[in-house]
Amino acid sequence: MSFKKRGYVVAQVTKKGEISLQKGHPWIYDAEVVSMDAQPTDGDIVDVISSKGRFIGSGFYNSNSKIRIRLISRNANDKFDEAFFERRIRYAWEYRKTVMGDDLDCCRIIFGEADTFPGLTVDKFHDILVTQTLSLGIEKRKDIIFPLLYKVLTEDGFEIRGIYERNDVKVRLLEGLEEGKGFYALPGVKTPESTSVDITENGIKYHVDFENGQKTGFFLDQKYNRLAAEKIAKGKRVLDCFTHTGSFALNAAKGGAEYVCAVDISQDAVDMAKRNAQMNCLADKMDFVCANVFDLLTSMTGKEGYDMIILDPPAFTKSRATVQSAIRGYKEINLRAMKLLPHGGYLATCSCSHFMTDELFDQMLHEAAADAHVSLRRIEYRQQAPDHPVLYNVPETEYLKFYLFQVV
């Protein structure tokens, strides 16, 4: 074969796998591995070649996962040492500084495959980094990567008190990893005692419980979508559904809404949203309701007088198998909201599921509008904030859809 072996196990892939890799996707599935010249240890780096022996890239191998190899490099000269990972971290951090400007109190620093760190998420919440590791290859190298994260940010003048691991997710089991959470022991750094921190986003303060909050503790991807909703909210009576920490509701109130009602099925979320409102001196024109949004929207009539409704539900589907059920759920809440809004009212609606594609979500909105006997004037279509970059040819990195409409 033409590829010069350089000490790693060499894996040859099918033509299908080769085409996918050439188009830019970094995953190689188990059925796409034709042969290996030796048996690698799970988590090791292997070199990947085509059927003709041409080098394609290098990646993490894991026999436990259907994603058998996750590419981390397409350069045959790369050496996967500390310097390699430091370059990657600096590259990701410089990108955030460019696209987020000075808005770095809270942001995503590493977004998995989009930053060529397969299976790794790193969020910055003021002076705490929260990580989630979903690949064995990264897990085996976190003692290199995590101290480098600390080094890069502190050398750039940012105080980092600690790194907290949020690995309490079942998908880790598919990689042969255990679940768990807790502070990572940084050499020479005292472990923080508290597992909460206050952040500032769009000029609004939030209390983040990064130990028990959803995902890594706070959803950063809607940052600029909240600003878009804020601009519309001035003088409006706003109903914020699935409020979670109250982020859309607080942006609406800050933007001059006449009144905001924030709703969530979780009492803990409602309490947190209320606390955040009080921390920002916005609670006087807000109410907080613990209720099932589906039931609430069904029971309401237009007499409640809302002229803006925000729908930011959790992902209704996390697999292709449940997409049809998710479509019905999205349609129901959007249909109810459209019926409740007056002529000239405003609707902000979202989906955070990769499997609920743009096409499916758009079709659902058309059908909901037809059933509600309304027309929609699209004001804006947005996606996730740029610190969650979409990597072309990796559709898994494109997931958030955000629409602003006027009902006409």
Side-chain angles (χ1 to χ4, degrees):
M1 68 183 172
S2 60
F3 171 63
K4 183 178 180 181
K5 188 172 172 61
R6 54 179 189 153
Y8 299 116
V9 171
V10 177
Q12 192 171 64
V13 296
T14 64
K15 188 65 177 179
K16 178 183 177 183
E18 180 183 347
I19 291 171
S20 176
L21 293 171
Q22 287 174 342
K23 288 181 176 179
H25 206 288
W27 294 350
I28 302 166
Y29 290 93
D30 51 359
E32 294 172 341
V33 178
V34 175
S35 64
M36 294 185 292
D37 64 354
Q39 182 58 46
T41 301
D42 288 336
D44 278 1
I45 291 171
V46 299
D47 282 332
V48 179
I49 61 171
S50 70
S51 57
K52 295 183 178 180
R54 184 178 60 83
F55 176 80
I56 299 176
S58 305
F60 298 135
Y61 175 86
N62 190 350
S63 65
N64 296 295
S65 176
K66 286 187 176 181
I67 305 173
R68 193 54 48 94
I69 302 170
R70 300 170 187 261
L71 285 198
I72 59 168
S73 170
R74 297 173 186 268
N75 186 341
N77 295 317
D78 272 339
K79 296 179 180 179
F80 305 105
D81 52 12
E82 186 174 306
F84 169 85
F85 289 107
E86 183 171 346
R87 285 195 305 273
R88 284 286 172 86
I89 292 168
R90 290 190 183 280
Y91 187 74
W93 179 236
E94 288 300 319
Y95 166 79
R96 269 67 186 183
K97 288 165 64 178
T98 298
V99 300
M100 306 303 285
D102 295 329
D103 194 8
L104 295 170
D105 187 66
C106 54
C107 66
R108 177 151 294 183
I109 298 174
I110 302 290
F111 184 43
E113 278 72 2
D115 289 297
T116 330
F117 279 93
L120 178 64
T121 295
V122 181
D123 286 340
K124 178 181 180 292
F125 297 128
H126 190 54
D127 55 7
I128 295 290
L129 301 183
V130 182
T131 69
Q132 192 167 83
T133 304
L134 304 182
S135 75
L136 179 59
I138 294 291
E139 179 78 19
K140 291 182 71 170
R141 290 160 183 83
K142 69 181 183 182
D143 289 342
I144 297 175
I145 295 169
F146 289 3
L148 286 172
L149 282 164
Y150 177 84
K151 174 186 176 182
V152 169
L153 268 71
T154 54
E155 285 184 352
D156 204 21
F158 288 82
E159 180 184 358
I160 300 298
R161 289 190 297 119
I163 297 178
Y164 193 85
E165 297 186 85
R166 278 298 301 269
N167 291 331
D168 51 335
V169 284
K170 293 190 181 302
V171 70
R172 276 175 61 92
L173 303 177
L174 302 177
E175 286 279 308
L177 297 167
E178 295 180 353
E179 294 182 69
K181 56 184 178 179
F183 277 105
Y184 175 82
L186 282 167
V189 179
K190 183 181 178 181
T191 300
E193 296 180 1
S194 173
T195 55
S196 62
V197 66
D198 291 342
I199 64 171
T200 301
E201 181 199 79
N202 299 341
I204 298 173
K205 295 179 181 179
Y206 298 91
H207 185 73
V208 175
D209 178 356
F210 53 82
E211 178 183 16
N212 301 305
Q214 293 187 34
K215 299 291 185 178
T216 59
F218 186 83
F219 295 111
L220 296 167
D221 50 7
Q222 294 271 30
K223 179 179 293 190
Y224 298 136
N225 299 340
R226 293 170 188 139
L227 282 180
E230 176 186 315
K231 294 176 184 178
I232 301 293
K234 185 176 182 180
K236 309 289 190 300
R237 291 177 58 82
V238 180
L239 177 65
D240 177 30
C241 302
F242 310 98
T243 195
H244 190 222
T245 55
S247 52
F248 270 107
L250 291 173
N251 276 266
K254 177 175 174 284
E258 176 188 324
Y259 167 76
V260 181
C261 180
V263 182
D264 202 283
I265 196 171
S266 164
Q267 186 62 54
D268 288 342
V270 169
D271 292 342
M272 180 66 76
K274 187 173 183 179
R275 176 178 175 179
N276 287 332
Q278 292 169 340
M279 184 163 53
N280 289 277
C281 302
L282 294 170
D284 59 337
K285 57 180 178 180
M286 301 180 70
D287 280 326
F288 304 87
V289 176
C290 183
N292 182 304
V293 169
F294 286 88
D295 295 340
L296 180 68
L297 292 176
T298 301
S299 67
M300 293 174 67
T301 68
K303 295 179 182 179
E304 277 79 9
Y306 292 108
D307 43 20
M308 182 176 184
I309 296 177
I310 301 169
L311 302 174
D312 182 23
F316 288 165
T317 177
K318 296 183 179 180
S319 71
R320 289 185 178 86
T322 56
V323 166
Q324 291 304 313
S325 174
I327 291 173
R328 290 192 293 272
Y330 283 115
K331 183 178 177 181
E332 181 178 343
I333 60 172
N334 281 275
L335 173 63
R336 297 291 177 185
M338 291 174 195
K339 286 183 173 181
L340 286 171
L341 286 166
H343 182 81
Y346 294 86
L347 173 66
T349 184
C350 321
S351 169
C352 60
S353 171
H354 155 68
F355 296 101
M356 188 70 178
T357 63
D358 286 346
E359 293 77 14
L360 289 174
F361 197 68
D362 188 64
Q363 180 183 348
M364 175 278 299
L365 289 169
H366 279 285
E367 293 175 357
D371 289 355
H373 305 293
V374 301
S375 293
L376 298 176
R377 174 185 287 158
R378 194 176 86 180
I379 303 165
E380 201 168 356
Y381 168 73
R382 305 178 61 87
Q383 294 183 290
Q384 61 253 36
D387 54 343
H388 297 62
V390 174
L391 190 64
Y392 268 33
N393 300 318
V394 186
E396 292 80 5
T397 62
E398 185 173 11
Y399 66 97
L400 184 60
K401 294 153 285 290
F402 175 87
Y403 286 88
L404 270 174
F405 294 109
Q406 185 181 37
V407 176
V408 297

